[in-house]
Amino acid sequence: MKIQSDFLVIGSGIAGLSYALKIAELGTVAIVTKKEKAESNTNYAQGGIAAVVSSVDAFEHHINDTMKAGAYLCHRNIVEMVVKEGPERINELIDLGVQFTQNINGLDLGKEGGHSHHRIVHAADLTGKEIERALLAKISAHPNIKIYENHISIDLITEHHLFGAGKQSHDSIHCWGAYVLDVEKNVVKTFLASATLLATGGAGQVYLHTTNPPIATGDGVAMAYRAGASIANMEFIQFHPTTLYNSGSPSFLISEAVRGFGAILRNKRGEDFMKKYDPQGSLAPRDIVARAIDTELKRSGDECVYLDLKHLNSNSIMSHFPNIYERCLKFGIDITKDLVPVVPAAHYSCGGVITDENGSTSINGLFAVGEVSMTGLHGANRLASNSLLEAVVFSHRVVESIKKNRAKGNEIANSIPNWDDSGTINSEEWILISHNRKEIQQLMWDYVGIVRSNHRLERSQRRIKLILEEVKDFYKRTKVTEELIELRNLSCVADLIIRSALERKESRGLHYTTDYPFVDDINWLKDTIIT
Ligand code: FAD
Ligand code: SIN
């Protein structure tokens, strides 16, 4: 079955939805999303969006904080652009109906690790949910936009599907849409469009412990990589320092805004240990805090450290963090009175599909925005709350560039074939899928986590090669299912992370390896690119 629209959007988080609303001025839009439409990393965002909206703050401060957190690997031109365009995009969200928390002076501004000023615009501790609500309300009323829920994209449609592998040169690939599995009807549909936006979010599910919901399986990076796009900086996986210990899967996040509000990290002996590691103490950037916690736990053999809010006003805690307060109560923890046990978990992928300043990838007609992309903003470690900001700035820029350059859209080839699964069977061997998924998550957690070494990375590479072969073989013989599509993507992304990590012969930002020191030399400032 062929479904044709002017624009195809894969993903319904902040990146996909904010783009869809704007591009719909130019034509029809199909949004495919693999679960229910609000299910996304965006929906769970707590802290907020960073932007310079206070008169005591300045663009220069936000730029410097971003560069420093990113261990100076950030592309300065992109950082400047994103920071300067931020306030206008926040105003647009407000105009769209997003209700950010106010105080008597206007927008209430939170603070998070690595920020020199209060600049986090938020909706209590449920910022992402409020943004999704407002964007989806506008989308559902828009005559040009149709959302297809429970539709999981399998692969991008490129020359490969017309002429077979190896028949096109690497720099002239075109994207004409995607093959998408309608999970409820169990049929693969051909979605065609002259411009396709990848807005598939992150890959936290590649790790055993993650804050990311089950949708975050790196599908966009894997699809783009298979289609021939350039990928960069996959070694920079951000581990959030504070998730509630033993809170299940996904790990429940205790927002960094809680530390911005004055909470202090303590070890079992009650020590404010972060002071030993960084002058910013509990509010140091995430890479430093996560590594410090890892060191403390390895040294002591303890299973968690603690967040201490007991010295803070309990009414203020409950009004600023109602969601965190309620969730912790369900685990028997009153955050106003008890120490909160926390551990790090995989949280954010700083690398992804390389784009230019207008969200264009190396494939014609394919754009990427949000966590799936590598724009140059985050460098070796994303500054807190810069992700939602990046998504709204870049989705706007993609629309502006398409408006200026409509000719860039691809003519849709008449000869695009429908999905062909002849020769495949419905397999009964589902244990292979669940076993391989768990194996990937465990090996990435054990060998490619907060602290790495050549020995561990090489070991993980040997394991992942075997898994890749098994999955490839299974995929060739079997009718696609959601689980198989995700497993194929998880194994691809795990391999990309390991290869990137092995290529970086230094410690920088989130990539810490015991075999190489931190290097303070600008000649080493190189992205790790895989094509
Ligand atoms: P997402 O919001 O993840 O959306 C991806 C969409 O793509 C989903 O709809 C998904 O179903 C769909 N999808 C994926 N694969 C496919 C496929 N194959 N086919 C079809 N659809 C697909 N960042 C901040 O800046 N501030 C914060 O306060 C903050 N808090 C966070 C708290 C948590 C718990 C988490 C997990 C992340 C947080 N982040 C925060 C990070 C931020 O939320 C994400 O980076 C951002 O929301 C990503 O937006 P996105 O639109 O790129 O992707
Ligand atoms: C948080 O609220 O701590 C998450 C913020 C982010 O990931 O940017």
Side-chain angles (χ1 to χ4, degrees):
M1 178 198 234
K2 285 199 170 101
I3 296 170
Q4 188 154 349
S5 56
D6 295 312
F7 303 98
L8 172 64
V9 181
I10 309 178
S12 58
I14 188 171
L17 297 182
S18 56
Y19 164 85
L21 267 180
K22 290 184 175 177
I23 204 74
E25 280 174 34
L26 303 185
T28 54
V29 182
I31 304 177
V32 296
T33 188
K34 70 185 192 186
K35 295 281 181 199
E36 185 268 325
K37 58 192 170 204
E39 190 56 6
S40 56
N41 275 6
T42 302
N43 208 37
Y44 298 90
Q46 294 185 357
I49 309 189
V52 177
V53 293
S54 151
S55 56
V56 297
D57 198 359
F59 290 146
E60 211 45 39
H61 299 316
H62 191 181
I63 292 166
N64 289 340
D65 293 346
T66 303
M67 295 294 299
K68 193 171 168 200
Y72 297 96
L73 193 66
C74 318
H75 301 186
R76 193 176 174 98
N77 60 328
I78 297 294
V79 176
E80 288 178 359
M81 182 198 89
V82 172
V83 165
K84 289 179 184 166
E85 293 182 11
E88 211 179 323
R89 301 285 82 81
I90 298 281
N91 285 334
E92 272 174 9
L93 287 175
I94 295 170
D95 291 344
L96 279 171
V98 178
Q99 297 190 348
F100 291 119
T101 303
Q102 307 271 335
N103 61 30
I104 45 166
N105 302 315
L107 287 170
D108 185 63
L109 299 177
K111 196 166 186 236
E112 291 180 327
H115 286 275
S116 56
H117 287 71
H118 280 77
R119 64 168 74 96
I120 317 295
V121 180
H122 63 103
D125 57 353
L126 287 166
T127 309
K129 198 170 194 163
E130 172 56 13
I131 291 173
E132 282 283 312
R133 181 203 62 75
L135 291 175
L136 282 169
K138 290 282 176 202
I139 294 248
S140 59
H142 203 296
N144 267 1
I145 306 177
K146 181 157 186 198
I147 299 199
Y148 297 81
E149 293 181 297
N150 301 307
H151 277 62
I152 179 168
S153 174
I154 307 167
D155 264 323
L156 298 168
I157 300 172
T158 62
E159 278 82 354
H160 178 93
H161 300 97
L162 297 182
F163 314 122
K167 291 261 170 72
Q168 76 275 13
S169 81
H170 209 261
D171 56 0
S172 63
I173 306 173
H174 296 78
C175 176
W176 291 290
Y179 291 117
V180 178
L181 174 68
D182 175 341
V183 177
E184 280 165 359
K185 298 207 171 89
N186 196 22
V187 53
V188 177
K189 299 173 179 170
T190 309
F191 278 79
L192 298 173
S194 61
T196 299
L197 180 79
L198 266 185
T200 48
Q205 286 290 326
V206 103
Y207 285 90
L208 189 61
H209 302 292
T210 177
T211 61
N212 293 190
I215 54 102
T217 50
D219 298 359
V221 169
M223 285 189 282
Y225 176 67
R226 284 193 294 269
S230 304
I231 312 292
N233 291 356
M234 291 301 291
E235 69 274 33
F236 297 120
I237 298 293
Q238 184 171 73
F239 290 81
H240 197 293
T242 57
T243 71
L244 187 62
Y245 175 61
N246 256 345
S247 54
S249 177
S251 309
F252 180 66
L253 183 73
I254 309 289
S255 174
E256 201 155 286
V258 173
R259 276 174 284 136
F261 200 68
I264 292 169
L265 277 165
R266 298 192 187 282
N267 57 23
K268 209 173 185 176
R269 290 181 302 288
E271 255 182 287
D272 175 0
F273 62 88
M274 273 311 302
K275 284 195 175 140
K276 289 186 296 196
Y277 296 90
D278 193 277
Q280 296 176 85
S282 292
L283 262 190
R286 277 181 200 167
D287 55 334
I288 296 170
V289 183
R291 224 162 21 244
I293 295 176
D294 189 73
T295 308
E296 290 287 312
L297 296 183
K298 281 190 179 133
R299 219 174 257 161
S300 63
D302 295 339
E303 295 195 324
C304 59
V305 294
Y306 299 89
L307 266 177
D308 182 358
L309 293 79
K310 289 189 291 184
H311 54 290
L312 303 172
N313 179 287
S314 38
N315 287 332
S316 300
I317 292 173
M318 286 188 278
S319 68
H320 275 84
F321 307 109
N323 173 46
I324 295 173
Y325 176 75
E326 287 298 331
R327 274 297 285 275
C328 288
L329 265 191
K330 290 198 175 122
F331 286 92
I333 299 159
D334 179 343
I335 62 171
T336 65
K337 297 195 185 105
D338 304 320
L339 289 174
V340 186
V342 290
V343 284
H347 182 61
Y348 185 83
S349 172
C350 295
V353 184
I354 297 181
T355 75
D356 67 7
E357 72 281 7
N358 294 318
S360 291
T361 69
S362 55
I363 294 183
N364 296 296
L366 180 69
F367 301 84
V369 174
E371 195 167 336
V372 68
S373 65
M374 201 302 284
T375 64
L377 177 66
H378 307 310
N381 175 35
R382 173 180 66 99
L383 182 66
S385 287
N386 265 357
S387 170
L388 298 174
L389 175 69
E390 179 188 49
V392 281
V393 167
F394 273 88
S395 60
H396 178 81
R397 293 186 72 86
V398 174
V399 175
E400 289 305 301
S401 86
I402 289 178
K403 271 187 196 163
K404 271 192 215 133
N405 196 1
R406 293 241 31 199
K408 249 194 158 179
N410 293 329
E411 288 277 304
I412 295 179
N414 290 327
S415 46
I416 288 171
N418 275 327
W419 184 254
D420 179 8
D421 63 359
S422 51
T424 58
I425 51 158
N426 282 317
S427 175
E428 301 295 318
E429 295 181 286
W430 300 124
I431 187 70
L432 295 180
I433 294 185
S434 63
H435 178 85
N436 276 348
R437 185 169 175 137
K438 280 191 207 127
E439 203 179 336
I440 293 170
Q441 291 172 329
Q442 187 76 56
L443 89 87
M444 292 301 284
W445 185 255
D446 290 343
Y447 301 146
V448 201
I450 297 171
V451 176
R452 299 164 180 177
S453 70
N454 282 342
H455 182 66
R456 289 184 201 177
L457 290 175
E458 281 157 9
R459 195 167 191 179
S460 64
Q461 192 165 48
R462 285 195 294 275
R463 302 280 196 283
I464 203 70
K465 270 190 181 151
L466 276 178
I467 296 176
L468 276 171
E469 272 170 33
E470 281 172 20
V471 173
K472 198 172 164 190
D473 175 59
F474 193 55
Y475 185 81
K476 263 198 266 170
R477 292 185 286 115
T478 313
K479 291 208 188 301
V480 284
T481 62
E482 200 179 356
E483 294 79 5
L484 181 55
I485 293 165
E486 289 190 345
L487 176 65
R488 182 173 176 237
N489 294 333
L490 283 168
S491 54
C492 171
V493 169
D495 178 54
L496 289 170
I497 296 171
I498 295 166
R499 281 161 65 192
S500 303
L502 276 166
E503 236 170 74
R504 187 165 289 281
K505 308 284 186 226
E506 60 165 356
S507 288
R508 182 175 297 280
L510 296 159
H511 176 67
Y512 174 64
T513 159
T514 52
D515 288 298
Y516 303 101
F518 280 104
V519 178
D520 196 12
D521 178 344
I522 55 163
N523 295 318
W524 283 72
L525 289 178
K526 285 194 192 89
D527 293 323
T528 313
I529 297 174
I530 298 188
T531 47

